[in-house]
């Protein structure tokens, strides 16, 4: 694959179990780079098929984005309650999922992972601020082992 140009335009698309279900549509736009979104369960066994299909399609994944079960974007109050790492009862599962996305991204050769971490309180002494800060640090440490960046949306 030729080197990508600085600020080359790409797309974000959602992974399917079989890359051939979506890659022809994505590449029909003429893009050479993309972010790959992961919703639902992530079967680590699909990474080799995705890696081969991406190479065959000449499509570079710059980041793999994690989405989580139970997130709803209906309105701002709902987003504040359900998205990212803010819901305390979802933090552990979402942290583990993000680590899995990092591992999956590493198998694809993607140098970045991303997710919407939620509406973090402004006050640094707020319990949600403290908990999310620690969680993000752990994810960053894990991503660093793969030489990845972690983009916070």
């Amino acid at each position: 694959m030729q080197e990508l140009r600085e600020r080359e335009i790409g797309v974000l698309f959602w992974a399917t179990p079989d890359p051939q279900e979506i890659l022809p549509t994505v590449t029909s736009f003429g893009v050479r780079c993309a972010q790959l979104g992961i919703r639902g369960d992530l079967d680590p066994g699909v990474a080799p098929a995705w890696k081969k299909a991406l190479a065959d399609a000449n499509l570079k994944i710059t980041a793999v984005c994690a989405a989580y079960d139970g997130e709803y974007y209906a309105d701002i109050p709902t987003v504040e309650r359900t998205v990212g790492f803010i819901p305390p009862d979802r933090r552990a599962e979402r942290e583990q999922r993000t680590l899995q996305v990092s591992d999956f991204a590493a198998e694809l050769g993607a140098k970045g992972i991303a997710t919407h971490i939620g509406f973090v309180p402004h006050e640094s002494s707020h319990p949600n601020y403290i908990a999310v800060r620690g969680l993000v640090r752990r994810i960053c440490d894990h991503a660093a082992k793969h030489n990845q960046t972690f983009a916070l949306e």
Side-chain angles (χ1 to χ4, degrees):
M1 173 174 208
Q2 290 181 341
E3 282 295 311
L4 297 175
R5 295 180 306 275
E6 187 174 333
R7 297 187 186 144
E8 186 162 341
I9 292 177
V11 296
L12 166 66
F13 69 100
W14 297 101
T16 56
D18 177 1
Q20 294 310 320
E21 291 177 30
I22 189 70
L23 283 180
T25 301
V26 173
T27 57
S28 74
F29 296 117
V31 296
R32 299 184 312 140
C33 61
Q35 291 185 344
L36 178 64
I38 305 293
R39 294 188 280 212
D41 291 333
L42 177 62
D43 178 358
V46 302
W50 267 97
K51 185 173 184 173
K52 180 179 181 335
L54 290 164
D56 292 348
N58 200 29
L59 186 66
K60 180 175 181 153
I61 298 300
T62 58
V64 178
C65 305
Y68 309 107
D69 290 337
E71 290 185 311
Y72 301 103
Y73 290 83
D75 52 45
I76 292 175
T78 302
V79 170
E80 289 176 337
R81 278 192 326 275
T82 66
V83 171
F85 303 137
I86 294 303
D89 60 326
R90 299 286 192 132
R91 281 191 194 127
E93 109 192 25
R94 291 179 179 181
E95 178 177 358
Q96 287 308 305
R97 176 167 173 69
T98 307
L99 300 179
Q100 291 171 338
V101 167
S102 173
D103 295 343
F104 180 78
E107 286 191 64
L108 299 183
K111 293 297 182 187
I113 59 172
T115 196
H116 190 312
I117 66 168
F119 284 92
V120 180
H122 293 292
E123 180 56 52
S124 62
S125 62
H126 190 285
N128 283 340
Y129 182 100
I130 294 166
V132 170
R133 180 183 60 201
L135 191 156
V136 167
R137 282 182 176 156
R138 291 189 298 276
I139 292 170
C140 287
D141 289 344
H142 185 89
K145 294 175 188 174
H146 292 308
N147 218 16
Q148 295 168 331
T149 58
F150 180 33
L152 312 178
E153 297 179 10

